Amino acid sequence: MDKKQPAPTPKSGPKTPVRGLKVRTVNLLMILCSCLLYIVLLLATFRAAGDYRDMVSATDLYILCQQEAAMVSDGSDYLTEQVRSFTVTPDLVYAENYFAEANTTRRRDQALEQLNGQASPQAQGYLELALDYSNQLMGREIYAMRLAAEAQAMDIDALPEEVQAIQLSEIHQELAPRAKAEQARELVFGQEYQAKKQLISSNIDFFLTDVMGSTQRGQQQSVDSLERSMQLERILSSVLFLMNVFIFAMIAFLIIKPLQVYIKCIREEKMMEITGAYEFKYLALTYNDIYEINTANEVLLRHQAEHDALTGIMNRGALEQVKEVLRVKGQPLALLLVDVDKLKLVNDGFGYEVGDRVLQKVARQLKESFRATDFPARVGDDEFAVILTDISAGQQERIEQKLRNINEALLNPMDGLPQVSLSVGGAFSPCGYTDDLYRLADRALCQVKESGRCGVVFASSPGQR
């Protein structure tokens, strides 16, 4: 017992009043102060949020201006692209596309309508000037289309009304068809046309520069105001932090101390005691130990469940899971069905231990010959399968060469093991694993066996003969 603990106060009242801070009183004062500070902090956050919204609005305006400038530029460039295409290859589609943009899509006009005076008058003036230059070019472009159409002796009545309404100058009317075509291309490819296009681009750049300057000024003002708000928030947060430290100290004395007794009881009930550990560290270490053990057990069990005990590669069950995943993914792949030829003769003549070593060697050859993203598996006593992912029929020769190399190594062993060979049937699928893929590979494997084993045959893709 703590010798400094005061004796219980008699019901009749203490002879000497107990002096000191009461937890209830201190908590009440801390709550009142915290509420007051919270209100002030909340107001500061509202102010900071307003400053932030101003920054976002300025940024959004700049993004909007960029989008509208891009619409004017893209619309103008699209008209240029279509009229140039028409003068080079007179096709009504280009003329129809041109007037669909000019009269229906109207990206250039819509850009100014959507901007709706949100930019400064000076900035908007630049964009309007760019649109005016673009509109001025339209007369030149429509005239060029009329020239190109007459150069190719096209049916004028089939052209859009705007082109039909154009009257060629007497000089151009007297030109030969080839000269008319060259003049039409000069109108939309020449230096004068390029100069006017440059005026459009320059005014769009002036527009963006003006908007950028306005945005930066607005953002700087918002940043300065936001910095003041953040400074006030830091001061208030520091005060709240000190108050929380005081509250946490009291909680540690009144609440955490009893918990130490409970932790000691937990330690006594454990079979192994971890010395020198703090209560929470103790709990964390205990949990981590259990977690590591469980994780190791899960890894071991998963490996045993998914891998063949003899060869160490995937077993049939794991391969079936891979098939289901690849069935959903739909990526191009290949399936190889592999039989070890005459393994029974090895088992009968040399013993099952040698036969097991041969199977291990085959598994190792398959695993090392193919990529890490492929899936070799043992699916029977002398049967293997390999799923090759992200591969097409164009790589068939490379696969066949790898299998020939494997057979070469198996037929010329350097490790004292008996000779064996592999019979392989394969099939490709452009859209993931299918049931038909296995049937085709199995049919190909049968062809290899019927032709004397020790070879590779690929079946036609599903749907082919």
Side-chain angles (χ1 to χ4, degrees):
M1 179 181 297
D2 189 354
K3 295 181 179 180
K4 296 183 180 180
Q5 181 176 355
T9 304
K11 291 183 180 181
S12 58
K15 296 181 179 180
T16 302
V18 178
R19 299 180 181 277
L21 294 174
K22 293 184 178 179
V23 174
R24 180 179 299 176
T25 303
V26 173
N27 285 341
L28 181 60
L29 291 174
M30 292 295 103
I31 290 173
L32 292 176
C33 293
S34 297
C35 290
L36 179 61
L37 288 171
Y38 175 77
I39 292 173
V40 178
L41 182 60
L42 192 63
L43 294 175
T45 57
F46 285 153
R47 178 180 174 182
D51 295 331
Y52 176 75
R53 284 193 295 270
D54 292 341
M55 292 179 60
V56 172
S57 297
T59 304
D60 290 343
L61 176 59
Y62 178 69
I63 294 173
L64 174 64
C65 291
Q66 280 189 317
Q67 292 173 345
E68 305 312 321
M71 288 180 65
V72 173
S73 179
D74 292 345
S76 177
D77 291 343
Y78 183 81
L79 293 177
T80 298
E81 176 185 354
Q82 297 305 312
V83 71
R84 285 177 171 176
S85 299
F86 185 85
T87 59
V88 174
T89 306
D91 189 333
L92 284 177
V93 173
Y94 298 126
E96 291 170 357
N97 291 343
Y98 180 94
F99 289 103
E101 171 64 29
N103 301 326
T104 304
T105 308
R106 301 176 59 249
R107 282 182 286 181
R108 302 169 305 152
D109 300 307
Q110 288 183 7
L112 286 171
E113 294 170 4
Q114 293 173 4
L115 196 58
N116 195 23
Q118 296 184 60
S120 67
Q122 181 177 356
Q124 186 143 346
Y126 287 130
L127 199 60
E128 290 173 352
L129 189 57
L131 179 59
D132 289 341
Y133 284 130
S134 180
N135 288 333
Q136 292 174 18
L137 283 181
M138 287 186 64
R140 186 185 187 93
E141 293 165 346
I142 297 174
Y143 190 92
M145 282 193 280
R146 179 60 184 258
L147 264 177
E150 290 197 4
Q152 297 295 327
M154 296 179 65
D155 183 4
I156 302 302
D157 293 335
L159 296 172
E161 295 179 358
E162 292 87 342
V163 180
Q164 295 180 31
I166 294 296
Q167 293 294 327
L168 298 181
S169 66
E170 294 181 359
I171 297 176
H172 288 158
Q173 288 178 356
E174 295 174 359
L175 293 176
R178 182 174 181 180
K180 287 182 180 180
E182 292 177 354
Q183 184 62 38
R185 289 192 287 271
E186 175 63 22
L187 286 174
V188 294
F189 284 95
Q191 293 183 355
E192 184 178 351
Y193 185 89
Q194 289 296 112
K196 292 185 177 181
K197 288 289 291 183
Q198 183 61 39
L199 287 176
I200 297 174
S201 177
S202 298
N203 279 278
I204 291 175
D205 291 340
F206 293 153
F207 167 78
L208 291 175
T209 301
D210 189 280
V211 170
M212 172 64 79
S214 300
T215 301
Q216 289 177 340
R217 289 189 294 271
Q219 286 181 334
Q220 187 59 48
Q221 293 175 358
S222 299
V223 167
D224 294 340
S225 180
L226 182 61
E227 178 61 29
R228 290 191 292 270
S229 299
M230 294 297 293
Q231 186 175 2
L232 178 59
E233 289 180 16
R234 286 192 290 268
I235 294 173
L236 296 175
S237 298
S238 299
V239 175
L240 283 174
F241 173 76
L242 295 176
M243 291 176 58
N244 287 333
V245 170
F246 180 78
I247 294 172
F248 292 156
M250 295 191 65
I251 292 175
F253 179 76
L254 297 175
I255 299 175
I256 300 299
K257 188 175 181 179
L259 287 178
Q260 294 175 341
V261 177
Y262 304 147
I263 294 172
K264 182 179 180 181
C265 294
I266 294 174
R267 286 179 174 174
E268 292 175 352
E269 292 177 358
K270 291 295 181 180
M271 295 179 62
M272 292 184 64
E273 181 179 356
I274 302 177
T275 60
Y278 184 69
E279 62 275 9
F280 290 113
K281 184 177 179 181
Y282 168 80
L283 293 176
L285 289 175
T286 302
Y287 173 81
N288 290 339
D289 289 342
I290 295 173
Y291 179 81
E292 289 176 358
I293 293 173
N294 289 339
T295 302
N297 288 337
E298 289 177 3
V299 171
L300 179 60
L301 292 175
R302 188 182 301 114
H303 187 274
Q304 292 176 346
E306 297 177 353
H307 290 75
D308 178 57
L310 175 63
T311 61
I313 61 175
M314 293 172 54
N315 57 23
R316 178 186 290 273
L319 188 65
E320 292 299 324
Q321 296 178 8
V322 172
K323 289 179 182 178
E324 294 305 315
V325 172
L326 296 178
R327 190 189 300 271
V328 176
K329 278 190 173 183
Q331 67 182 48
L333 55 84
L335 173 64
L336 305 179
L337 297 181
V338 182
D339 275 6
V340 181
D341 300 329
K342 301 178 181 180
L343 181 65
K344 186 176 184 302
L345 297 178
V346 174
N347 290 332
D348 294 341
F350 297 89
Y352 284 96
E353 181 179 352
V354 174
D356 290 345
R357 290 173 59 192
V358 169
L359 291 173
Q360 291 171 345
K361 180 179 179 180
V362 170
R364 186 168 59 253
Q365 290 281 348
L366 291 174
K367 184 176 181 180
E368 293 175 354
S369 297
F370 294 101
R371 303 165 299 177
T373 55
D374 300 329
F375 300 95
R378 184 187 180 198
V379 296
D381 290 340
D382 57 354
E383 298 172 355
F384 293 82
V386 183
I387 295 180
L388 309 176
T389 61
D390 193 20
I391 199 165
S392 62
Q395 297 169 280
Q396 176 177 329
E397 177 59 32
R398 183 184 300 178
I399 300 172
E400 291 177 346
Q401 184 59 48
K402 288 183 177 182
L403 294 169
R404 285 193 292 268
N405 292 341
I406 293 174
N407 264 335
E408 181 70 19
L410 295 176
L411 290 171
N412 299 280
M414 305 294 292
D415 50 8
L417 292 176
Q419 293 180 335
V420 293
S421 62
L422 301 182
S423 295
V424 183
F428 290 94
S429 171
C431 55
Y433 185 85
T434 63
D435 295 332
D436 201 31
L437 182 66
Y438 180 87
R439 181 181 59 80
L440 289 171
D442 187 59
R443 181 189 301 171
L445 179 60
C446 291
Q447 294 178 17
V448 177
K449 292 181 178 180
E450 290 171 358
S451 61
R453 300 179 180 271
C454 187
V456 185
V457 170
F458 274 88
S460 301
S461 300
Q464 298 177 346
R465 295 200 176 267

